[in-house]
mmCIF file of all heavy atoms in Angstrom:
data_model
loop_
_atom_site.group_PDB
_atom_site.id
_atom_site.type_symbol
_atom_site.label_atom_id
_atom_site.label_comp_id
_atom_site.label_asym_id
_atom_site.label_seq_id
_atom_site.Cartn_x
_atom_site.Cartn_y
_atom_site.Cartn_z
ATOM 1 N N ASP A 1006 8.734 8.639 -5.629
ATOM 2 C CA ASP A 1006 9.904 9.300 -6.207
ATOM 3 C C ASP A 1006 9.580 9.577 -7.676
ATOM 4 O O ASP A 1006 9.293 8.653 -8.436
ATOM 5 C CB ASP A 1006 11.118 8.388 -6.075
ATOM 6 C CG ASP A 1006 12.399 9.014 -6.596
ATOM 7 O OD1 ASP A 1006 12.409 9.454 -7.773
ATOM 8 O OD2 ASP A 1006 13.395 9.030 -5.863
ATOM 9 N N GLU A 1007 9.640 10.830 -8.096
ATOM 10 C CA GLU A 1007 9.205 11.184 -9.439
ATOM 11 C C GLU A 1007 10.150 10.704 -10.537
ATOM 12 O O GLU A 1007 9.766 10.652 -11.704
ATOM 13 C CB GLU A 1007 9.005 12.696 -9.547
ATOM 14 C CG GLU A 1007 7.829 13.197 -8.723
ATOM 15 C CD GLU A 1007 7.599 14.691 -8.890
ATOM 16 O OE1 GLU A 1007 8.015 15.250 -9.932
ATOM 17 O OE2 GLU A 1007 7.022 15.311 -7.972
ATOM 18 N N LEU A 1008 11.336 10.325 -10.171
ATOM 19 C CA LEU A 1008 12.268 9.812 -11.164
ATOM 20 C C LEU A 1008 12.081 8.314 -11.391
ATOM 21 O O LEU A 1008 12.223 7.822 -12.504
ATOM 22 C CB LEU A 1008 13.716 10.092 -10.742
ATOM 23 C CG LEU A 1008 14.805 9.705 -11.743
ATOM 24 C CD1 LEU A 1008 14.650 10.502 -13.047
ATOM 25 C CD2 LEU A 1008 16.189 9.936 -11.141
ATOM 26 N N THR A 1009 11.691 7.590 -10.330
ATOM 27 C CA THR A 1009 11.644 6.128 -10.413
ATOM 28 C C THR A 1009 10.252 5.529 -10.215
ATOM 29 O O THR A 1009 10.019 4.392 -10.622
ATOM 30 C CB THR A 1009 12.563 5.510 -9.351
ATOM 31 O OG1 THR A 1009 12.039 5.813 -8.043
ATOM 32 C CG2 THR A 1009 13.979 6.043 -9.478
ATOM 33 N N GLY A 1010 9.356 6.246 -9.556
ATOM 34 C CA GLY A 1010 8.060 5.681 -9.202
ATOM 35 C C GLY A 1010 8.088 4.872 -7.926
ATOM 36 O O GLY A 1010 7.073 4.254 -7.549
ATOM 37 N N ALA A 1011 9.230 4.845 -7.215
ATOM 38 C CA ALA A 1011 9.318 4.123 -5.947
ATOM 39 C C ALA A 1011 8.469 4.807 -4.888
ATOM 40 O O ALA A 1011 8.460 6.043 -4.777
ATOM 41 C CB ALA A 1011 10.768 4.042 -5.481
ATOM 42 N N VAL A 1012 7.756 4.016 -4.106
ATOM 43 C CA VAL A 1012 6.956 4.548 -3.011
ATOM 44 C C VAL A 1012 7.891 5.030 -1.915
ATOM 45 O O VAL A 1012 8.890 4.370 -1.592
ATOM 46 C CB VAL A 1012 5.994 3.472 -2.475
ATOM 47 C CG1 VAL A 1012 5.223 3.982 -1.269
ATOM 48 C CG2 VAL A 1012 5.027 3.032 -3.578
ATOM 49 N N THR A 1013 7.578 6.185 -1.321
ATOM 50 C CA THR A 1013 8.469 6.771 -0.315
ATOM 51 C C THR A 1013 7.809 6.837 1.054
ATOM 52 O O THR A 1013 6.588 6.784 1.193
ATOM 53 C CB THR A 1013 8.915 8.182 -0.723
ATOM 54 O OG1 THR A 1013 7.779 9.056 -0.743
ATOM 55 C CG2 THR A 1013 9.562 8.189 -2.105
ATOM 56 N N THR A 1014 8.646 6.990 2.052
ATOM 57 C CA THR A 1014 8.202 7.191 3.434
ATOM 58 C C THR A 1014 7.959 8.679 3.670
ATOM 59 O O THR A 1014 8.328 9.526 2.837
ATOM 60 C CB THR A 1014 9.272 6.700 4.411
ATOM 61 O OG1 THR A 1014 10.422 7.575 4.298
ATOM 62 C CG2 THR A 1014 9.687 5.272 4.108
ATOM 63 N N PRO A 1015 7.355 9.039 4.805
ATOM 64 C CA PRO A 1015 7.213 10.469 5.115
ATOM 65 C C PRO A 1015 8.528 11.223 5.138
ATOM 66 O O PRO A 1015 8.565 12.429 4.908
ATOM 67 C CB PRO A 1015 6.539 10.457 6.498
ATOM 68 C CG PRO A 1015 5.754 9.186 6.510
ATOM 69 C CD PRO A 1015 6.626 8.193 5.776
ATOM 70 N N ALA A 1016 9.627 10.531 5.380
ATOM 71 C CA ALA A 1016 10.950 11.169 5.380
ATOM 72 C C ALA A 1016 11.531 11.302 3.986
ATOM 73 O O ALA A 1016 12.625 11.855 3.814
ATOM 74 C CB ALA A 1016 11.904 10.369 6.267
ATOM 75 N N GLY A 1017 10.822 10.792 2.978
ATOM 76 C CA GLY A 1017 11.290 10.909 1.601
ATOM 77 C C GLY A 1017 12.190 9.783 1.142
ATOM 78 O O GLY A 1017 12.754 9.844 0.045
ATOM 79 N N GLU A 1018 12.332 8.744 1.937
ATOM 80 C CA GLU A 1018 13.176 7.612 1.573
ATOM 81 C C GLU A 1018 12.358 6.579 0.805
ATOM 82 O O GLU A 1018 11.220 6.294 1.145
ATOM 83 C CB GLU A 1018 13.775 6.973 2.827
ATOM 84 C CG GLU A 1018 14.658 7.912 3.640
ATOM 85 C CD GLU A 1018 15.111 7.293 4.952
ATOM 86 O OE1 GLU A 1018 14.558 6.218 5.304
ATOM 87 O OE2 GLU A 1018 15.978 7.869 5.609
ATOM 88 N N SER A 1019 12.938 6.015 -0.240
ATOM 89 C CA SER A 1019 12.250 4.995 -1.023
ATOM 90 C C SER A 1019 12.128 3.701 -0.229
ATOM 91 O O SER A 1019 13.072 3.296 0.468
ATOM 92 C CB SER A 1019 13.015 4.720 -2.322
ATOM 93 O OG SER A 1019 13.005 5.866 -3.153
ATOM 94 N N ILE A 1020 10.968 3.063 -0.335
ATOM 95 C CA ILE A 1020 10.760 1.754 0.284
ATOM 96 C C ILE A 1020 11.266 0.704 -0.697
ATOM 97 O O ILE A 1020 10.725 0.580 -1.805
ATOM 98 C CB ILE A 1020 9.279 1.525 0.619
ATOM 99 C CG1 ILE A 1020 8.798 2.568 1.631
ATOM 100 C CG2 ILE A 1020 9.048 0.101 1.138
ATOM 101 C CD1 ILE A 1020 7.314 2.489 1.957
ATOM 102 N N PRO A 1021 12.305 -0.040 -0.361
ATOM 103 C CA PRO A 1021 12.880 -1.003 -1.320
ATOM 104 C C PRO A 1021 11.834 -2.012 -1.794
ATOM 105 O O PRO A 1021 11.065 -2.556 -0.989
ATOM 106 C CB PRO A 1021 13.992 -1.677 -0.517
ATOM 107 C CG PRO A 1021 14.314 -0.725 0.590
ATOM 108 C CD PRO A 1021 13.026 -0.037 0.924
ATOM 109 N N GLY A 1022 11.812 -2.227 -3.097
ATOM 110 C CA GLY A 1022 10.946 -3.245 -3.658
ATOM 111 C C GLY A 1022 9.512 -2.831 -3.889
ATOM 112 O O GLY A 1022 8.697 -3.666 -4.296
ATOM 113 N N LEU A 1023 9.169 -1.553 -3.658
ATOM 114 C CA LEU A 1023 7.768 -1.142 -3.773
ATOM 115 C C LEU A 1023 7.635 0.086 -4.673
ATOM 116 O O LEU A 1023 8.291 1.113 -4.453
ATOM 117 C CB LEU A 1023 7.185 -0.819 -2.400
ATOM 118 C CG LEU A 1023 5.677 -0.529 -2.369
ATOM 119 C CD1 LEU A 1023 4.872 -1.715 -2.863
ATOM 120 C CD2 LEU A 1023 5.232 -0.128 -0.970
ATOM 121 N N TYR A 1024 6.752 -0.021 -5.669
ATOM 122 C CA TYR A 1024 6.490 1.052 -6.623
ATOM 123 C C TYR A 1024 4.977 1.255 -6.733
ATOM 124 O O TYR A 1024 4.194 0.371 -6.377
ATOM 125 C CB TYR A 1024 7.074 0.700 -7.995
ATOM 126 C CG TYR A 1024 8.577 0.587 -7.983
ATOM 127 C CD1 TYR A 1024 9.201 -0.557 -7.495
ATOM 128 C CD2 TYR A 1024 9.376 1.637 -8.427
ATOM 129 C CE1 TYR A 1024 10.584 -0.657 -7.449
ATOM 130 C CE2 TYR A 1024 10.758 1.542 -8.391
ATOM 131 C CZ TYR A 1024 11.356 0.410 -7.907
ATOM 132 O OH TYR A 1024 12.726 0.325 -7.864
ATOM 133 N N ALA A 1025 4.591 2.410 -7.246
ATOM 134 C CA ALA A 1025 3.162 2.683 -7.430
ATOM 135 C C ALA A 1025 2.961 3.503 -8.687
ATOM 136 O O ALA A 1025 3.839 4.273 -9.104
ATOM 137 C CB ALA A 1025 2.577 3.414 -6.223
ATOM 138 N N ALA A 1026 1.780 3.338 -9.289
ATOM 139 C CA ALA A 1026 1.474 4.026 -10.539
ATOM 140 C C ALA A 1026 -0.029 4.247 -10.648
ATOM 141 O O ALA A 1026 -0.820 3.641 -9.926
ATOM 142 C CB ALA A 1026 1.970 3.203 -11.731
ATOM 143 N N GLY A 1027 -0.396 5.114 -11.583
ATOM 144 C CA GLY A 1027 -1.811 5.407 -11.793
ATOM 145 C C GLY A 1027 -2.397 6.173 -10.634
ATOM 146 O O GLY A 1027 -1.699 6.896 -9.928
ATOM 147 N N ARG A 1028 -3.682 6.012 -10.381
ATOM 148 C CA ARG A 1028 -4.341 6.797 -9.352
ATOM 149 C C ARG A 1028 -4.057 6.297 -7.938
ATOM 150 O O ARG A 1028 -4.480 6.922 -6.973
ATOM 151 C CB ARG A 1028 -5.852 6.850 -9.603
ATOM 152 C CG ARG A 1028 -6.236 7.534 -10.895
ATOM 153 C CD ARG A 1028 -6.066 9.063 -10.871
ATOM 154 N NE ARG A 1028 -4.739 9.540 -10.649
ATOM 155 C CZ ARG A 1028 -3.752 9.561 -11.556
ATOM 156 N NH1 ARG A 1028 -3.961 9.137 -12.771
ATOM 157 N NH2 ARG A 1028 -2.569 10.025 -11.259
ATOM 158 N N THR A 1029 -3.323 5.206 -7.815
ATOM 159 C CA THR A 1029 -2.847 4.808 -6.491
ATOM 160 C C THR A 1029 -1.770 5.765 -6.009
ATOM 161 O O THR A 1029 -1.554 5.912 -4.805
ATOM 162 C CB THR A 1029 -2.296 3.363 -6.535
ATOM 163 O OG1 THR A 1029 -3.349 2.489 -6.966
ATOM 164 C CG2 THR A 1029 -1.815 2.899 -5.177
ATOM 165 N N ALA A 1030 -1.114 6.434 -6.936
ATOM 166 C CA ALA A 1030 -0.008 7.345 -6.620
ATOM 167 C C ALA A 1030 -0.374 8.780 -6.979
ATOM 168 O O ALA A 1030 -1.218 9.035 -7.834
ATOM 169 C CB ALA A 1030 1.242 6.926 -7.392
ATOM 170 N N ILE A 1031 0.277 9.696 -6.327
ATOM 171 C CA ILE A 1031 0.167 11.100 -6.720
ATOM 172 C C ILE A 1031 0.907 11.288 -8.041
ATOM 173 O O ILE A 1031 2.026 10.790 -8.218
ATOM 174 C CB ILE A 1031 0.753 12.012 -5.627
ATOM 175 C CG1 ILE A 1031 -0.204 12.040 -4.420
ATOM 176 C CG2 ILE A 1031 1.007 13.421 -6.143
ATOM 177 C CD1 ILE A 1031 0.325 12.827 -3.249
ATOM 178 N N GLY A 1032 0.267 12.005 -8.968
ATOM 179 C CA GLY A 1032 0.876 12.160 -10.275
ATOM 180 C C GLY A 1032 0.534 13.468 -10.937
ATOM 181 O O GLY A 1032 0.224 14.471 -10.269
ATOM 182 N N LEU A 1033 0.533 13.462 -12.256
ATOM 183 C CA LEU A 1033 0.390 14.680 -13.043
ATOM 184 C C LEU A 1033 -0.891 15.438 -12.757
ATOM 185 O O LEU A 1033 -0.922 16.669 -12.822
ATOM 186 C CB LEU A 1033 0.440 14.326 -14.540
ATOM 187 C CG LEU A 1033 1.786 13.856 -15.089
ATOM 188 C CD1 LEU A 1033 1.581 13.163 -16.420
ATOM 189 C CD2 LEU A 1033 2.749 15.026 -15.231
ATOM 190 N N CYS A 1034 -1.975 14.730 -12.470
ATOM 191 C CA CYS A 1034 -3.263 15.412 -12.355
ATOM 192 C C CYS A 1034 -3.723 15.602 -10.915
ATOM 193 O O CYS A 1034 -4.916 15.834 -10.670
ATOM 194 C CB CYS A 1034 -4.331 14.673 -13.165
ATOM 195 S SG CYS A 1034 -4.449 12.919 -12.834
ATOM 196 N N VAL A 1035 -2.806 15.553 -9.948
ATOM 197 C CA VAL A 1035 -3.233 15.672 -8.557
ATOM 198 C C VAL A 1035 -3.822 17.048 -8.244
ATOM 199 O O VAL A 1035 -4.660 17.185 -7.351
ATOM 200 C CB VAL A 1035 -2.069 15.341 -7.591
ATOM 201 C CG1 VAL A 1035 -0.993 16.427 -7.623
ATOM 202 C CG2 VAL A 1035 -2.592 15.142 -6.177
ATOM 203 N N ASN A 1036 -3.413 18.085 -8.962
ATOM 204 C CA ASN A 1036 -3.942 19.431 -8.714
ATOM 205 C C ASN A 1036 -5.125 19.775 -9.596
ATOM 206 O O ASN A 1036 -6.077 20.420 -9.144
ATOM 207 C CB ASN A 1036 -2.853 20.491 -8.951
ATOM 208 C CG ASN A 1036 -1.847 20.555 -7.828
ATOM 209 O OD1 ASN A 1036 -2.098 20.077 -6.726
ATOM 210 N ND2 ASN A 1036 -0.700 21.147 -8.104
#
């Protein structure tokens, strides 16, 4: 979730209690 950093499911729902950052997550430089 780009507002919170919460990890999401394929349906776009946040997984409670789980966040990701850096290159583990898709971010500013993915393209």
Side-chain angles (χ1 to χ4, degrees):
D1006 182 306
E1007 292 183 24
L1008 185 62
T1009 66
V1012 176
T1013 65
T1014 68
E1018 299 174 349
S1019 295
I1020 298 176
L1023 187 60
Y1024 296 79
R1028 297 287 61 77
T1029 301
I1031 287 176
L1033 291 163
C1034 51
V1035 70
N1036 284 342

